[in-house]
Amino acid sequence: MQFLKAALGSNNQAPRARSWNKAAVNTLERLREVPADRLQRQLIDVSTLLDACFDYASHVEACDAMECFLNAWNHILACVEDWSTLLRGLCLDVVAKIASRDEFCITHIRLDKDGDCPSNPRRFELLCCYASCLRTTQAWAGDHMSLWQPVPDFCARILALSVFRLPEIHSLVCSTLSGLQPVSMKAHPIPKTPEQPAPPEPDPTLPAPCLLLPPPGSCCGHYRQTDAGFQSLHELDAKHEECDEAISAVQEVIQATHEEEAAIAAAKALERAEAAQAQALLSPKRSTGSRGFLQLWYHVAGEGRGKKDTEWLQLCLESDGSVRSSNFFCSFLANVAVQCNKLINKGFSIPGVDAIEAAAVLRLMENDPKQYSAVLIEACSGWLRQQPTSLDRFLEASLSQMSVHNAGTVVEAVRFMTMWISAASVKASPAAPPKLPDSVKLDFTIQALEVLLTSQTFQVVLRTLVFLYDHLNLFSFDARAKLVSGLLLEKLFFGLFLHWLSEVRLFFCNLLVYKVFRTSRFDVFRELQEMAHLSRLQLSVPSHLGHAKANDSTDEDKMQDFCFMAKFAFYLGAPCQHLESPGTDLQIGEVAMDKRRLVYSDAAIRQLKGCIEESYEWKVNEAPQMGTRGMATPR
């Protein structure tokens, strides 16, 4: 079974920790001796071995394992062109797995202020060898991009590693994606710990400080006794004026000195700010208090041969609309997202993420949503699993290119919106339902949903309502409040609840009953039952459903549901009032109700009552699946 899983690449189980032993060493070393007829099986065994993580008994054992990995890597790269073409894909997969091993992570070493590693020099040396192998592999993959079919995907996987481990590759990728000039790491060495500045020496040009207080034994009256007898008050006043002038002169000198020191301090602060801005992409989060991992890699590996050996990279990353460039970037985006997640889990900020995200947004804006390839949509989904905060920009880039008058475009847009929102949703705890992070605002998406729900094409409206039915409860607390309260109730309630098409009314009633009021729906219905102006609904909620006084709960979600209920009851009162007094002109605020919509009041009320009564048959935490006719089988 393991043979089939390794051969087909379908091992989805989490890697198990295992001890590093002689059998693992032999599996890697036999690559040099195995005959050609058994090479495929040996490569599969190595690939299976690399899927596991190891528990090392000591640093020496970890370094021995790293050395075995590097030897196997060099041997495969040296012989891959001589082996059968059927084995090249498997060989490249093994190399990519070795290159992505956590044993080669920079966080395993500690550098001092001079960039040395006194604690574990052997591991430092092995990391230098790793960087050399990675640089050689990256150059080899770039040279063979157009020769073999598996190489482009392999090159994208290696590039995703190199962009955060080889400083010159990171600079080139960011400059290519953002249109800036490459920056050398040589200009940004590891910053040493700042020393405390020495106190400034006194300026000899300044006058000596004067005694500002009267001498001991002096009196504070109008006269003082001296050897010459008593002095007049006029003479004392003159002395006091001279003293005041001296004090003013000294204060002016002190103020000028403070202003000069403040100017010098401001200039130094500006220099520090400019230096920090210049190396902002090369620093981790300040809360970690550690150096940027690219700066660590620079002191481990230095800078390689640079841009002249990676001209292929610009051809692959530049957005020229070609299929080759698009597929390579999609593969790179999916692989670099995994590396970003690993670095985030280790406490680092990610340099160059903005440039990569902006390049993905640019590719989304270049084409109509119907022309998005499956590889691009899946790559964006993979990115959002690691960087859910990018969802707003992705949706804005895609929905801004969509035509609401084209039903096919809307169907395609709803499809990738479904994939991306599901990918960006996370669980706060294993038992909690998935939700979008609070940082995802969805402001532009809500505006786009308003355009879709006000479309004159009923297929677009129905498709949008189904999308909201499936994903409304994935929205964050604030985004859900904007969508339900600000859009569905305040702006679009009468347009959807009194729509001319029966299916639109039914879909909207299902959305209100099962998704807007969620698990509070039975308590909400009991509150609606007691409202006199909604007696037209004729509700009768069974006593065993829900809990009384649920609106007194401290649960934020329940409180939000009852806030929605109050606004819903206010707007629902207009159709009920029309049925009680058909000839009366109704007005909501300063806007008069359209009588052409009010003719559907009776049908809408009956549909809402039917949806509420059908919900009694479902458990409070269950909801039916929305189908083409409004309802279907349970989930």
Side-chain angles (χ1 to χ4, degrees), residues 214-244:
S218 62
C219 64
C220 299
H222 295 288
Y223 296 90
R224 62 187 179 94
Q225 188 176 8
T226 63
D227 296 338
F230 293 96
Q231 296 178 338
S232 65
L233 181 61
H234 178 72
E235 292 176 346
L236 289 175
D237 291 338
K239 292 295 184 181
H240 289 166
E241 290 177 0
E242 291 178 4
C243 185
D244 292 338

Side-chain angles (χ1 to χ4, degrees), residues 141-170:
D143 294 338
H144 294 75
M145 277 285 292
S146 59
L147 298 181
W148 302 339
Q149 183 62 30
V151 174
D153 184 68
F154 167 75
C155 185
R157 295 174 65 181
I158 294 297
L159 181 62
L161 294 168
S162 302
V163 74
F164 296 131
R165 303 191 180 191
L166 300 180
E168 73 277 5
I169 296 295
H170 173 268

Side-chain angles (χ1 to χ4, degrees), residues 2 6 15-16 18-21 23-29 42-54 68-69 97 101:
Q2 291 182 353
R16 296 181 303 171
R18 52 186 295 185
S19 60
W20 180 259
N21 49 36
V25 176
N26 294 335
T27 301
L28 293 170
E29 290 183 349
Q42 189 63 32
L43 287 171
I44 293 175
D45 290 342
V46 173
S47 179
T48 305
L49 176 70
L50 295 173
D51 289 333
C53 56
F54 297 97
C68 290
F69 292 145
K97 287 183 178 181
R101 295 288 304 180

Side-chain angles (χ1 to χ4, degrees), residues 123-149:
R123 192 155 198 165
F124 182 87
E125 182 181 357
L126 289 171
L127 283 179
C128 294
C129 296
Y130 168 82
S132 178
C133 290
L134 186 61
R135 187 173 286 122
T136 302
T137 304
Q138 188 68 79
W140 178 89
D143 294 338
H144 294 75
M145 277 285 292
S146 59
L147 298 181
W148 302 339
Q149 183 62 30

Side-chain angles (χ1 to χ4, degrees), residues 169-341:
I169 296 295
H170 173 268
S171 176
L172 180 61
V173 169
C174 293
S175 61
T176 302
L177 295 178
S178 59
L180 302 177
Q181 292 296 326
V183 179
S184 174
M185 285 290 298
K186 297 178 182 179
H188 307 287
I190 293 181
K192 297 185 178 181
T193 304
E195 300 178 356
Q196 296 294 334
E201 298 181 358
D203 192 346
T205 60
L206 297 177
C210 301
L211 186 63
L212 304 182
L213 299 176
S218 62
C219 64
C220 299
H222 295 288
Y223 296 90
R224 62 187 179 94
Q225 188 176 8
T226 63
D227 296 338
F230 293 96
Q231 296 178 338
S232 65
L233 181 61
H234 178 72
E235 292 176 346
L236 289 175
D237 291 338
K239 292 295 184 181
H240 289 166
E241 290 177 0
E242 291 178 4
C243 185
D244 292 338
E245 291 177 359
I247 292 174
S248 300
V250 172
Q251 289 178 345
E252 291 176 1
V253 172
I254 293 175
Q255 183 178 1
T257 304
H258 288 171
E259 291 177 355
E260 183 178 359
E261 292 177 354
I264 295 175
K268 291 182 178 179
L270 181 61
E271 292 177 359
R272 290 194 298 267
E274 292 176 352
Q277 184 178 7
Q279 58 180 354
L281 295 179
L282 309 176
S283 302
K285 294 186 293 187
R286 293 183 179 180
S287 59
T288 61
S290 59
R291 300 183 179 95
F293 56 91
L294 277 176
Q295 293 171 332
L296 296 177
W297 274 114
Y298 170 73
H299 279 262
V300 170
E303 280 190 340
R305 291 165 288 181
K307 183 178 179 181
K308 62 181 181 180
D309 291 329
T310 52
E311 295 178 354
W312 57 270
L313 187 57
Q314 288 184 309
L315 300 177
C316 293
L317 290 182
E318 287 179 349
S319 180
D320 56 2
S322 64
V323 176
R324 173 187 173 185
S325 173
S326 177
N327 290 341
F328 180 87
F329 177 79
C330 293
S331 181
F332 166 74
L333 183 66
N335 285 282
V336 81
V338 179
Q339 300 302 319
C340 288
N341 189 49

